[in-house]
Amino acid sequence: MTTTTTDIPSAVLAALALPPLAGLDEPRASGRACVWERERLTIETAVDLGEQLAPADSASTIGQRWFPRSCHKHLAQRAHDALFTHSRQCDDCKVPDKCDVGRWMYRLMREHRR
Ligand SMILES: [Zn+2]
Ligand SMILES: [Zn+2]
């Protein structure tokens, strides 16, 4: 699969817990390396996580736009972990198909598992 994932809702990205831009090295901040484990990405392995706006909590990166990318494997792993954490504190997840975040995590796991 060579498609990229875009338009992930911000609530889903928040649950995935992207690392803050301020703490990243240049390859990860620029999307050339996996945002989670910093291995190099190629066109085949990269998943586009969409444009992010750095929050105003760190002076050096206020309002900076960046485009994190992940590999398939780590995105699926992250979605798995995030779903586990999220679903334990989410009432909507107790009802099948009700929770958007839960649905997205399932979808990310399915589409990117290797
Ligand atoms: Zn990775
Ligand atoms: Zn939920």
Side-chain angles (χ1 to χ4, degrees):
M1 190 166 67
T2 57
T3 54
T4 57
T5 299
T6 50
D7 300 326
I8 300 177
S10 56
V12 175
L13 281 166
L16 286 170
L18 276 178
L21 177 61
L24 296 182
D25 48 30
E26 197 273 334
R28 283 186 293 169
S30 66
R32 282 185 288 116
C34 176
V35 75
W36 315 114
E37 299 289 340
R38 70 180 71 190
E39 80 278 8
R40 289 265 158 178
L41 294 169
T42 66
I43 297 214
E44 285 76 35
T45 60
V47 184
D48 194 341
L49 298 178
E51 181 180 33
Q52 307 299 315
L53 199 57
D57 59 2
S58 70
S60 59
T61 58
I62 286 179
Q64 208 171 306
R65 293 180 186 283
W66 62 302
F67 299 85
R69 298 201 296 174
S70 170
C71 66
H72 292 284
K73 186 178 104 184
H74 291 134
L75 182 56
Q77 259 172 25
R78 274 279 158 169
H80 177 274
D81 294 350
L83 180 62
F84 183 75
T85 309
H86 164 87
S87 62
R88 282 194 306 179
Q89 1 163 325
C90 175
D91 285 336
D92 286 353
C93 276
K94 298 185 174 92
V95 183
D97 286 338
K98 189 174 179 204
C99 179
D100 272 346
V101 172
R103 270 208 308 267
W104 265 93
M105 292 306 172
Y106 270 120
R107 185 180 146 189
L108 292 173
M109 280 161 57
R110 263 203 326 268
E111 287 184 359
H112 301 289
R113 193 160 37 205
R114 286 293 186 270

